[in-house]
Amino acid sequence: MEGIVSSKQQQPLVFAYYVTGHGFGHATRVVEVVRHLILEGHIVHVVTAAPDFVYTSAIQSPRLFLRKELLDCGAVQCDALTVDRIASLEKYSETAVIPRETILATEVKWLQSIKADLVVSDVVPVACRAAADAGIRSVCCTNFSWDFIYAEYVVDAGSQHRSIVLQIAEDYSHCEFLIRLPGYCPMPAFRDVLDVPLVVRGLHKSRAEKASNVSVEQVRKELGVEEDVKLVIFNFGGQPAGWKLQEEFLPPGWKCVVCGGSDKEEYPPNFIKLPKDAYTPDVIAASDCMLVAYIVFVFVLLLPNIQHLTVAAGILQDTALGKNHASNKPCGARRLRDAIVLGYQLQRVNNRIIGIPDWYNVEENKLVGRSSEGSQFLREVEDFEILHGDPQGLPDTMAFLKSLADIGAGHDSKKDTEDEVREDLAAAGLFNWEEEIFVARAPGRLDVLGGIADYSGSLVLQMPIREACHVAVQKNHPSKQKLWKHAQARHHADHEKLAPILEIVSLGSELNNRGPTFDMDLSDFKDGEKPISYEAARKYFAKDPSQKWAAYVAGTILVLMTELGVCFENSISILVSSGVPEGKGVSSSAALEVENHVVGAPCGVMDQMTSACGEANKLLAMVCQPAEVLGVVDIPSHVRFWGIDSGLRHSVGGSDYGSVRIGTYMGRKIIKSTAAGLSKGNNKDDMDKDGIELLNNEASLDYLCNLPPHRYEGVYVDKLPETVTGEEFIKKYVNHEDSVTTIDPKHIYAVKAPTRHPVYENFRVEAFKALLTATTSDGQLSALGELMYQCHYSYGACGLGSDGTDRLVELVQEMQHSKASKSENGTLYGAKITGGGSGGTVCVIGKNFVGSNEQILEIQRRYHVATGFKPYVFEGSSPGAGKFGYLKIRRRNATE
């Protein structure tokens, strides 16, 4: 590679080089770059918190200026191996967040005063922003960035610190490009990247000298190490190891040089404390191996004076002289890859199952191709132009668009199963790839409180989760519609002219034991000129169990035809890709607009409304009478919610859920009948006008949740049977006034418990909402948790509990009442089964701090040991379909 091109004949350039305050490693590599810049006659101002000797021992020049400032703090370490994550975030806030405006004003003024030609950062975030404010180009040179490091800390420490990471990423985005060193981590915040070899300090004692044993003998003699003794360097990056070194730690015939050792510690005879100003590369060259942190590396010596030592300095000089190293087009592919790798690495932290943090997402249009005010900016995502909408930086959306591009390009995805191959082939032939495609996204939801009381008119509180379903849709004239072979054969046999059809491909179908494709003539939804009935539709989709899933998607077409009179004259192609796990009670079906009329699932309305109207990191408050959205409720910064999957499949189409719903409507009918009888009974003369009016209102009770608990207990509880057969109920009350369910005369239905649940659940949800929005107090979390526990046990009384969800709730209680939890003033406070019950997911509430995360992981571990199933943990949130809107995309031409 080319080295630095001499510029000594030119006017000296002025570099402002910012060095992070974390450790000496950054400073020592900066020394080498700075040394080469100064050798070329340039002036370098180094902003650093490291001791002067780190620089002056290698560079003696009047062109080097050291300015002592700490503008970031790195990681706060208890010892060489332990990072205090919360303390690190708090320290960064004190160092760089609270005084941010003052720092920016000071740095802009200073940069302008020294007339800097280029700002270089390794890797201080605010330096990039200060350079932009001062109108000076900036470059970063590093192998990691603090947004990546702190992202992991925030996962443990809580989302109240997430603004730190977002601000750091935004600061880095002002950097023109990144000089990326080997051993790098994912860094999506940077717009462009240049990879260079390692930046290392050369040997003062050359390797040629080592070959003749001159340098080795000299260094080892200075250290007091005999010729036949093996030498190991013990280096913890300038941090004390925290170990009490003992002579027996080393095998016979070995000695150890300790870097950064404490002056107060006494060392065994076979350990040697290295002076702080010693030139470490020479000592390394004289050693046999090196112990770094807790990993042993066999050291391979580098050749001296090799040209790649000057590559980074050469790039910096060229940039300061005006050369443009950044590419003109966005580097979306690299940044998407980095974001995916980051998410994968965070998933592996302590065996946690989490996604890429929503606060780490960076919107492409904010980082690349900034346009002038008022101009229109066409955002590009891989092979697609985005003609409408905004991906909002959501990693699952970016991944979906990437997979869509791969399908359209016919990339070999190396699928393993026959179903996977079938769905890929079907998907590749689904769209006309040169035409516009519409993309929508809808998340699943976590039922915080309200659950099955939605169909009884309760207030519900629901949180949209991070996991979501994506749907790509395209309409085409029937003459342009691509048909699968069997559809072609059907049309040739049945139609003289082409008629509109519906084709659906479901990605990931093999995971849920269903067919990957579905197609039908849209005329099958017509009975003459009118849409077919919902009952006929249920029979249509029930013909093939492997394709019953299609009712969730195709059913929306029939609903639009029936309810809104929409006429579909074009063919429709739909690709479905859902990241919402099925059967876990987090509304994977709601993310696809499940319709109880078509599918036959007797669900309420809260799931669909949350998926459509929810907002990230907020609870949607809705009164289900039938669907009045009250708005969103902010989750207090000290409160956090998790979902833990029990592994037992949940289904709102199951018999338990349907039977409980029927029992609830039976109870309402009995209450209405009782109220009507009381208002006209023998005691009527003893009641005042208001009392009679109250009974009349209850005789026409539209929603059970409108009945206050005191009225339920005072007037009606004794009138409700524990159970009743369907035949007995029909004989006395005729029907239960629910159009969605049908009473089985031979079935025995629970009545009292299902009736009691929504009456008290509505009261619990109202109290929960009031507590969330109240002033923080010591008893707030305890009260919130108690309301969730009460809800859970009420589910069980209705017959909607399960062994798995009960076990998870018991584990939460064990954690809550443990001595460790009490000593920390509490961590987890409550839990409940969610959604339709009978399995699925448990919602947990706790304090938003690192101890709570650790307890969630411990619950996951204990449940795994007890059952053999490792629960999926739902964590995080994302916007609903309404907030996301839709994307209109078109594939770019290959020539562009």
Side-chain angles (χ1 to χ4, degrees):
M1 297 187 70
E2 293 183 1
I4 192 167
V5 179
S6 178
S7 63
K8 291 181 180 178
Q9 295 82 7
Q10 303 174 2
Q11 184 74 17
L13 299 169
V14 178
F15 294 86
Y17 212 131
Y18 288 81
V19 187
T20 182
H22 179 73
F24 290 171
H26 298 265
T28 53
R29 73 181 177 204
V30 165
V31 164
E32 196 62 31
V33 179
V34 170
R35 190 169 67 86
H36 280 83
L37 290 172
I38 288 177
L39 285 175
E40 291 303 311
H42 302 308
I43 298 169
V44 183
H45 294 260
V46 178
V47 183
T48 179
D52 288 358
F53 71 79
V54 174
Y55 301 92
T56 56
S57 61
I59 305 171
Q60 295 84 37
S61 170
R63 295 177 181 269
L64 172 65
F65 297 87
L66 300 178
R67 176 171 166 245
K68 290 299 185 67
E69 290 288 347
L70 180 64
L71 299 178
D72 67 358
C73 62
V76 176
Q77 295 180 235
C78 308
D79 54 48
L81 300 180
T82 308
V83 173
D84 188 329
R85 299 183 174 195
I86 294 178
S88 298
L89 293 167
E90 291 175 347
K91 182 67 174 176
Y92 185 86
S93 181
E94 295 171 7
T95 305
V97 176
I98 296 173
R100 178 177 173 81
E101 295 305 317
T102 302
I103 290 173
L104 283 172
T106 301
E107 296 310 305
V108 169
K109 184 177 181 180
W110 177 75
L111 288 170
Q112 291 171 340
S113 71
I114 66 170
K115 299 180 180 179
D117 294 294
L118 184 69
V119 172
V120 189
S121 179
D122 185 355
V123 60
V124 180
V126 75
C128 305
R129 175 57 186 270
D133 289 352
I136 302 170
R137 300 171 76 186
S138 65
V139 175
C140 283
C141 181
T142 185
N143 63 332
F144 76 88
S145 55
W146 288 116
D147 52 344
F148 170 78
I149 302 298
Y150 287 162
E152 181 183 316
Y153 296 1
V154 172
V155 170
D156 280 340
S159 61
Q160 70 269 25
H161 299 288
R162 64 186 179 183
S163 59
I164 291 176
V165 178
L166 191 60
Q167 183 64 70
I168 291 174
E170 199 277 334
D171 282 346
Y172 286 145
S173 74
H174 293 283
C175 165
E176 189 167 312
F177 63 91
L178 167 69
I179 298 175
R180 188 167 61 181
L181 303 172
Y184 56 82
C185 71
M187 292 181 277
F190 294 99
R191 287 181 279 161
D192 220 327
V193 168
L194 289 180
D195 286 307
V196 300
L198 276 171
V199 174
V200 298
R201 292 182 291 172
L203 301 179
H204 286 176
K205 315 293 184 181
S206 73
R207 191 169 183 182
E209 291 175 322
K210 179 175 180 180
S212 63
N213 291 325
V214 175
S215 175
V216 171
E217 290 178 1
Q218 180 181 345
V219 173
R220 292 169 74 98
K221 183 177 180 181
E222 292 173 356
L223 293 172
V225 179
E226 297 81 1
E227 184 178 348
D228 58 345
V229 171
K230 296 289 186 182
L231 187 63
V232 58
I233 289 188
F234 185 39
N235 191 337
F236 273 66
Q239 294 282 341
W243 297 348
K244 179 66 176 177
L245 300 175
Q246 300 178 30
E247 186 173 356
E248 57 267 26
F249 283 1
L250 294 176
W254 282 77
K255 284 191 175 182
C256 178
V257 175
V258 181
C259 299
S262 171
D263 294 330
K264 299 178 181 179
E265 185 175 353
E266 294 185 5
Y267 295 89
N270 51 350
F271 284 83
I272 305 166
K273 178 182 175 299
L274 194 67
K276 289 185 177 180
D277 58 351
Y279 192 68
T280 310
D282 282 347
V283 181
I284 292 175
S287 303
D288 297 284
C289 68
M290 187 173 184
L291 179 65
V292 181
Y294 48 87
I295 305 172
V296 176
F297 293 95
V298 176
F299 186 72
V300 180
L301 293 175
L302 296 172
L303 291 171
N305 302 323
I306 53 179
Q307 286 187 328
H308 78 232
L309 291 176
T310 66
V311 172
I315 293 172
L316 294 178
Q317 175 183 276
D318 290 346
T319 303
L321 289 170
K323 183 175 180 179
N324 184 17
H325 282 281
S327 60
N328 291 323
K329 61 181 181 178
C331 50
R334 190 272 307 166
R335 291 176 56 218
L336 178 61
R337 181 180 66 248
D338 275 1
I340 292 171
V341 172
L342 168 62
Y344 172 72
Q345 291 186 348
L346 288 178
Q347 283 179 341
R348 297 174 64 232
V349 176
N350 297 331
N351 296 316
R352 274 168 290 190
I353 303 176
I354 58 174
I356 301 172
D358 58 327
W359 35 261
Y360 194 81
N361 304 325
V362 181
E363 298 178 27
E364 186 83 10
N365 61 315
K366 290 184 179 178
L367 295 184
V368 296
R370 287 183 173 86
S371 59
S372 59
E373 187 175 354
S375 66
Q376 202 142 31
F377 174 62
L378 189 64
R379 281 150 290 168
E380 303 172 353
V381 180
E382 289 300 305
D383 293 29
F384 292 107
E385 296 174 344
I386 298 181
L387 306 176
H388 173 86
D390 186 351
Q392 300 181 24
L394 292 166
D396 59 344
T397 300
M398 306 300 285
F400 176 72
L401 293 175
K402 178 66 167 62
S403 67
L404 201 61
D406 288 344
I407 289 171
H411 292 169
D412 179 15
S413 53
K414 300 181 180 179
K415 301 286 182 160
D416 296 325
T417 70
E418 183 179 345
D419 278 345
E420 288 178 305
V421 173
R422 282 178 58 201
E423 70 183 30
D424 265 17
L425 291 173
L430 186 64
F431 298 121
N432 289 317
W433 293 99
E434 306 308 317
E435 302 295 329
E436 295 173 353
I437 298 173
F438 296 83
V439 175
R441 176 190 185 277
R445 67 95 186 95
L446 183 64
D447 168 32
V448 174
L449 217 59
I452 56 167
D454 60 342
Y455 55 71
S456 294
S458 179
L459 172 67
V460 297
L461 295 173
Q462 310 291 306
M463 184 179 79
I465 59 176
R466 178 177 293 138
E467 292 78 3
C469 173
H470 286 82
V471 177
V473 182
Q474 186 179 68
K475 64 176 183 177
N476 284 297
H477 189 274
S479 62
K480 295 182 178 180
Q481 177 70 24
K482 294 183 177 181
L483 299 178
W484 295 324
K485 288 184 179 180
H486 61 277
Q488 290 177 0
R490 186 174 69 242
H491 271 249
H492 287 314
D494 297 343
H495 300 285
E496 294 182 2
K497 64 176 184 177
L498 291 175
I501 68 168
L502 170 66
E503 292 183 320
I504 306 172
V505 175
S506 174
L507 299 181
S509 58
E510 79 288 346
L511 299 176
N512 296 288
N513 195 29
R514 61 169 181 255
T517 64
F518 173 85
D519 68 281
M520 64 178 290
D521 293 344
L522 287 177
S523 60
D524 291 345
F525 274 155
K526 301 291 286 290
D527 182 6
E529 295 300 317
K530 295 181 179 181
I532 63 174
S533 67
Y534 290 137
E535 182 180 357
R538 284 198 294 271
K539 292 179 180 178
Y540 179 93
F541 289 109
K543 289 186 294 185
D544 184 351
S546 71
Q547 293 195 329
K548 191 176 181 180
W549 62 269
Y552 288 100
V553 186
T556 59
I557 303 294
L558 180 59
V559 171
L560 290 172
M561 294 170 65
T562 303
E563 307 299 332
L564 298 181
V566 178
C567 180
F568 291 92
E569 298 179 350
N570 290 311
S571 294
I572 304 171
S573 301
I574 300 177
L575 178 70
V576 179
S577 177
S578 182
V580 186
E582 295 183 18
K584 300 187 184 301
V586 291
S587 296
S588 57
S589 56
L592 274 172
E593 290 300 319
V594 60
E595 243 309 318
N596 52 30
H597 290 301
V598 180
V599 179
C603 61
V605 72
M606 71 175 188
D607 301 348
Q608 295 89 337
M609 292 299 291
T610 306
S611 186
C613 303
E615 296 184 25
N617 302 304
K618 300 177 188 291
L619 301 182
L620 182 73
M622 181 177 63
V623 176
C624 303
Q625 300 188 15
E628 180 188 355
V629 175
L630 301 183
V632 293
V633 179
D634 289 329
I635 300 172
S637 60
H638 66 287
V639 176
R640 192 170 186 177
F641 296 100
W642 298 262
I644 308 178
D645 171 34
S646 67
L648 302 178
R649 190 173 179 85
H650 150 90
S651 173
V652 295
S655 59
D656 288 341
Y657 181 91
S659 297
V660 170
R661 175 168 176 148
I662 291 172
T664 302
Y665 276 85
M666 285 178 167
R668 188 189 67 157
K669 184 66 175 282
I670 293 171
I671 288 172
K672 290 172 66 176
S673 178
T674 301
L678 290 173
S679 67
K680 299 174 183 178
N682 296 330
N683 297 327
K684 179 179 178 181
D685 295 338
D686 297 334
M687 291 186 288
D688 58 21
K689 183 179 180 180
D690 291 339
I692 294 174
E693 183 178 353
L694 181 59
L695 286 171
N696 286 334
N697 289 338
E698 291 169 351
S700 59
L701 189 66
D702 48 359
Y703 292 100
L704 199 50
C705 288
N706 290 339
L707 183 69
H710 74 273
R711 291 291 292 174
Y712 169 82
E713 294 290 349
V715 181
Y716 302 109
V717 67
D718 293 335
K719 308 296 190 294
L720 295 167
E722 293 288 344
T723 61
V724 67
T725 66
E727 184 177 14
E728 291 171 340
F729 182 85
I730 293 171
K731 185 177 181 179
K732 186 172 183 178
Y733 298 101
V734 183
N735 62 66
H736 65 320
E737 299 177 352
D738 179 22
S739 61
V740 175
T741 57
T742 303
I743 296 175
D744 180 356
K746 297 181 180 180
H747 190 81
I748 299 175
Y749 295 96
V751 175
K752 182 172 285 188
T755 305
R756 185 181 191 274
H757 177 81
V759 172
Y760 278 89
E761 183 73 352
N762 186 61
F763 176 79
R764 284 189 287 264
V765 183
E766 288 178 344
F768 196 94
K769 179 174 178 286
L771 280 167
L772 273 180
T773 56
T775 304
T776 302
S777 65
D778 293 339
Q780 183 186 35
L781 274 166
S782 296
L784 291 168
E786 183 60 32
L787 291 169
M788 293 180 71
Y789 283 141
Q790 289 180 17
C791 172
H792 176 78
Y793 292 117
S794 184
Y795 262 78
C798 292
L800 293 176
S802 71
D803 291 341
T805 50
D806 286 347
R807 184 185 292 271
L808 285 170
V809 171
E810 289 168 4
L811 288 172
V812 171
Q813 291 176 355
E814 288 177 14
M815 291 294 175
Q816 179 183 357
H817 301 301
S818 66
K819 290 182 179 179
S821 181
K822 290 179 179 178
S823 67
E824 295 176 350
N825 296 320
T827 50
L828 304 181
Y829 286 88
K832 61 174 283 289
I833 195 170
T834 63
S838 300
T841 294
V842 163
C843 177
V844 182
I845 187 172
K847 188 181 293 184
N848 187 13
F849 89 125
V850 64
S852 301
N853 263 342
E854 292 170 352
Q855 292 199 341
I856 292 292
L857 296 176
E858 178 60 17
I859 289 170
Q860 183 188 54
R861 186 193 69 79
R862 292 186 187 183
Y863 191 86
H864 187 199
V865 170
T867 66
F869 174 79
K870 187 173 183 179
Y872 186 99
V873 176
F874 294 93
E875 188 176 23
S877 183
S878 66
K883 282 291 182 182
F884 180 83
Y886 70 92
L887 305 179
K888 181 164 69 174
I889 62 175
R890 182 174 57 206
R891 192 165 70 174
R892 291 169 55 81
N893 295 328
T895 56
E896 292 185 15

